[in-house]
Amino acid sequence: MQALAVLILIAGLDPEPPPSVKAADIPDDRGGVIEISWTRSLSDTTGNINNVWGYRIFRIQAHTFDTQFLGFRDRWSDLVFTDSTAVDGTVYVYCVQTKSSTGVSDLTYSKPVKSRSSFFRARRLAVALAVLAGVLVFIFSKEKTSDFFKKKAIGDSICWAMEKGKIVMVILSYENPSSRKGVSRTLTDLKWIAEKVISAKGEIRVLTPGYLQGAATGIFREIFMKEGRLQDFNPLWIRRTWSGGVSYSDEATRLISKWKPGIVMITGEPGVWTFQPLNKILSLGGKIVGIKTDLHFLPAVLSSGIRIENISGALSEVFSPGPVNKKYCWAIIFFISVSLGYLLLCWMLMGTDGLDPILSLRNFLPFLKAVP
């Protein structure tokens, strides 16, 4: 009789309902999805007489009161259920009840909720637009920003030389005469330097290839005329040589020894011929700015004994790739940019679903299988 009474008592004990149920639309998705979560029932404990099996999830349409059973979660699962069959704009109330060996609990209801679709994921779109804006600012301001810092560095170097009472010397390295952009940039740099020095009543000297002598002379004459000091202009300050290589190197070294400048600026893309004049100016305690090296030239620079900090400077970039390497670099940059663009678009439109084609590559590429 006692055993029978216990069984009757157990049969009459329904489990406790979940204390709370929450339902929320997943933000910035393509719609039709609502996430339901709840807290564990007080009856859902180890050794409890009710022996809870899990939780039943229902959906009630708020206007018609149609009730639909959505699914079951056992007590060992995460207390989360995703309803992916919701209709956008329809108001639902979700409820969860505890299921045990002795019966079911009362229902616990959520607040009304409805799903919304968003073609672009709003938060992710904001991030994407911010990244795009940053890229555009970088692209359009790169050259101007670069010029600003280069000119600031060269301006500081010019001021240092003039404070020491030293001459500023500019070596216009050989540019391809057919490259109008390269020649134009070289002359633009020379004009800016000359204006800086002449307006501060400093002394400037130039060594130039023969085909640039006329243009360099015209630049100096124009600046002195603008300053009202045309009588101070001396054409001998602009020396030229018609050959490059060893001859250009020897002439540059001779003029450095004669003028003893405090700073030497080299424009363009110089070659190995620069080693001799560079070592000469360093031996005289001068400074060097404007060296631009490519990949095949850099090892030669390092092996020449010239310290790398001595060839950082204003009007150039250290370690600038040569033409062949630039093609490889641009190919790599293009591939990475397209890949990132695809990932960004998938992230905005489909979330992680768009990554499935990439993740599927792990089946074919063994080294990617370790990637989570």
Side-chain angles (χ1 to χ4, degrees):
M1 291 295 293
Q2 290 180 347
L4 180 61
V6 170
L7 290 174
I8 295 174
L9 178 63
I10 293 175
L13 290 177
D14 290 336
E16 292 289 334
S20 66
V21 174
K22 295 181 180 179
D25 176 39
I26 296 179
D28 304 329
D29 63 355
R30 289 176 292 171
V33 180
I34 293 178
E35 185 176 86
I36 306 98
S37 61
W38 59 94
T39 53
R40 193 173 298 277
S41 167
L42 297 177
S43 301
D44 188 1
T45 58
T46 303
N48 190 286
I49 194 172
N50 294 95
N51 189 21
V52 170
W53 293 345
Y55 301 89
R56 305 175 72 192
I57 302 95
F58 297 87
R59 182 179 71 189
I60 302 174
Q61 189 170 335
H63 298 295
T64 64
F65 298 102
D66 290 338
T67 304
Q68 183 179 0
F69 172 72
L70 296 179
F72 176 80
R73 282 285 182 269
D74 64 65
R75 61 173 305 209
W76 307 110
S77 303
D78 293 334
L79 304 183
V80 176
F81 183 88
T82 301
D83 177 13
S84 57
T85 61
V87 178
D88 290 344
T90 301
V91 179
Y92 297 105
V93 174
Y94 291 85
C95 47
V96 179
Q97 69 178 180
T98 309
K99 171 67 176 175
S100 74
S101 59
T102 61
V104 294
S105 71
D106 293 333
L107 293 171
T108 303
Y109 298 89
S110 72
K111 292 181 179 179
V113 63
K114 60 182 177 180
S115 66
R116 296 180 177 86
S117 63
S118 175
F119 182 71
F120 282 106
R121 302 194 168 198
R123 297 176 186 175
R124 296 177 177 182
L125 179 60
V127 174
L129 291 177
V131 172
L132 180 61
V135 170
L136 292 176
V137 170
F138 173 78
I139 291 174
F140 288 112
S141 67
K142 181 177 181 296
E143 185 172 350
K144 294 183 180 297
T145 305
S146 179
D147 283 348
F148 171 79
F149 287 109
K150 289 174 182 179
K151 289 182 177 181
K152 183 178 185 304
I154 201 170
D156 293 341
S157 300
I158 289 173
C159 292
W160 175 86
M162 290 191 296
E163 287 173 0
K164 299 288 185 180
K166 299 285 188 177
I167 292 173
V168 175
M169 180 177 175
V170 180
I171 299 178
L172 304 181
S173 65
Y174 271 85
E175 294 275 4
N176 182 358
S178 63
S179 174
R180 298 179 61 183
K181 182 177 180 181
V183 172
S184 174
R185 181 58 188 256
T186 297
L187 294 176
T188 300
D189 291 341
L190 175 63
K191 182 175 181 180
W192 185 86
I193 296 168
E195 286 179 337
K196 188 83 173 176
V197 176
I198 294 171
S199 62
K201 295 184 169 50
E203 295 186 65
I204 185 170
R205 306 286 187 269
V206 177
L207 175 62
T208 174
Y211 67 89
L212 290 178
Q213 183 184 22
T217 302
I219 288 173
F220 272 60
R221 190 184 300 276
E222 177 185 343
I223 296 173
F224 273 101
M225 186 178 297
K226 185 191 300 184
E227 292 287 324
R229 299 168 48 202
L230 186 58
Q231 69 280 2
D232 297 332
F233 172 61
N234 186 346
L236 294 179
W237 292 347
I238 304 173
R239 303 297 181 90
R240 61 107 177 99
T241 178
W242 292 99
S243 58
V246 176
S247 298
Y248 205 69
S249 179
D250 291 341
E251 181 66 6
T253 305
R254 185 185 71 81
L255 292 176
I256 289 173
S257 300
K258 178 180 178 181
W259 290 333
K260 294 182 174 57
I263 183 172
V264 172
M265 304 180 189
I266 303 181
T267 65
E269 298 189 21
V272 179
W273 65 267
T274 56
F275 291 160
Q276 183 180 343
L278 289 180
N279 281 312
K280 185 64 179 178
I281 184 61
L282 291 175
S283 68
L284 295 174
K287 290 186 176 182
I288 304 164
V289 295
I291 294 293
K292 183 174 184 181
T293 61
D294 57 23
L295 291 178
H296 74 272
F297 182 51
L298 185 64
V301 171
L302 298 176
S303 63
S304 70
I306 299 175
R307 294 181 302 170
I308 192 69
E309 58 265 26
N310 292 127
I311 58 173
S312 62
L315 297 178
S316 61
E317 304 166 22
V318 175
F319 202 70
S320 175
V324 176
N325 292 284
K326 280 181 179 179
K327 293 180 180 179
Y328 292 125
C329 289
W330 279 114
I332 293 173
I333 292 172
F334 176 78
F335 175 77
I336 294 175
S337 300
V338 171
S339 301
L340 292 177
Y342 171 78
L343 293 176
L344 187 62
L345 190 61
C346 290
W347 185 51
M348 288 190 298
L349 297 177
M350 297 179 290
T352 57
D353 295 342
L355 304 181
D356 290 343
I358 296 176
L359 295 177
S360 64
L361 292 176
R362 291 186 295 184
N363 299 326
F364 304 96
L365 302 176
F367 64 90
L368 286 178
K369 290 185 177 180
V371 179

